[in-house]
Amino acid sequence: MKKVRKAVFPVAGLGTRFLPATKAIPKEMLTVVDKPVIQYVVDEAREAGIEHFIFVTGRNKAVIEDYFDVQFELYDTLAQRGKDDQLAHLQRLQPAPGQTSFTRQQTPLGLGHAVWCARELVGDEPFALLLPDMIMQSETGCMKEMVELYERTGGNVIAVQECDPADAHKYGIVGKGETVHSGFEITAMVEKPKRGTEPSNHYINGRYILQPEIFSILEGQERGAGNEIQLTDAMLKLLKRQPFHGYHFQGRTFDCGSPEGFVEANIAFALWRSDMHERMVDLVDTLFADLTPAERGRKSR
Ligand code: UTP
């Protein structure tokens, strides 16, 4: 069985749910506490043993490439000022030389198309796919757990979580079969199912391990929901030829592509940090206690 060495990060989406911020800043560069969203996802991939990081970017996303570059003047200034801890911290976050690749999705035709754009960089081997606007909070990273499952089952692995059944029509949903090791067999997949047709309430949370055969399917994939080339539609075709297993992630997932998810992530990660925890608990309590009755009743501005 081939090892999962490479990870793909599709960062070419327009981020319309986060306008006006995304007029000038890629959503992946918005900061959760003090790190850009994309750093959390790269760290998760690194923890899972990933050796090569492939970014599918688009127009106005060049700052992501700059972010992962060495900032020589900054590093030099930190060293001269004796800020060794900060320098070491930056260097720990930095990918090693030659560990990153960048390609462009010239037109944002959908997630499936963005993944297909990485085909030459991935080549003929299984790869991890991490949607960078979904960030996770757990003791052990979601992708690390998925790689452990993959090493026992082979095939394809998708992480899922449970949603309120009333919300299932908003997500990519899988059908659940027999238990296999720490996961389960996936029997069906559908992107944004019509209400009443959902195979379960287990939604795909943005982490995948896929076999390279997905690329030839994506090559001819027609547009689906939202008039976009959907990864889920291509995976459904691959499901007829190869096994897919679900990994039920037990941690928290935040959709940082939406303002609500992003604010939740900031609060949750600040509470999670030992150097901020106490202050944040006080702050959240005080802010809520200080609301006037009128403010408590306010539903929208
Ligand atoms: P989203 O569904 O969040 O779409 O994409 P979006 O365009 O980024 O954001 P909204 O909905 O307009 O606010 C899920 C993931 O797929 C990537 C996005 O960057 C994100 O990581 N994506 C999506 C692409 O890379 N290319 C696309 O054409 C579409």
Side-chain angles (χ1 to χ4, degrees), residues 240-259:
K240 297 196 174 101
R241 292 162 32 189
Q242 293 182 358
F244 273 75
H245 295 103
Y247 164 67
H248 194 158
F249 177 57
Q250 301 293 340
R252 300 190 180 99
T253 297
F254 303 98
D255 178 3
C256 290
S258 77

Side-chain angles (χ1 to χ4, degrees), residues 145-158:
E145 303 271 13
M146 291 170 71
V147 168
E148 282 169 16
L149 176 61
Y150 167 80
E151 284 170 354
R152 306 190 76 176
T153 61
N156 303 269
V157 179
I158 300 181

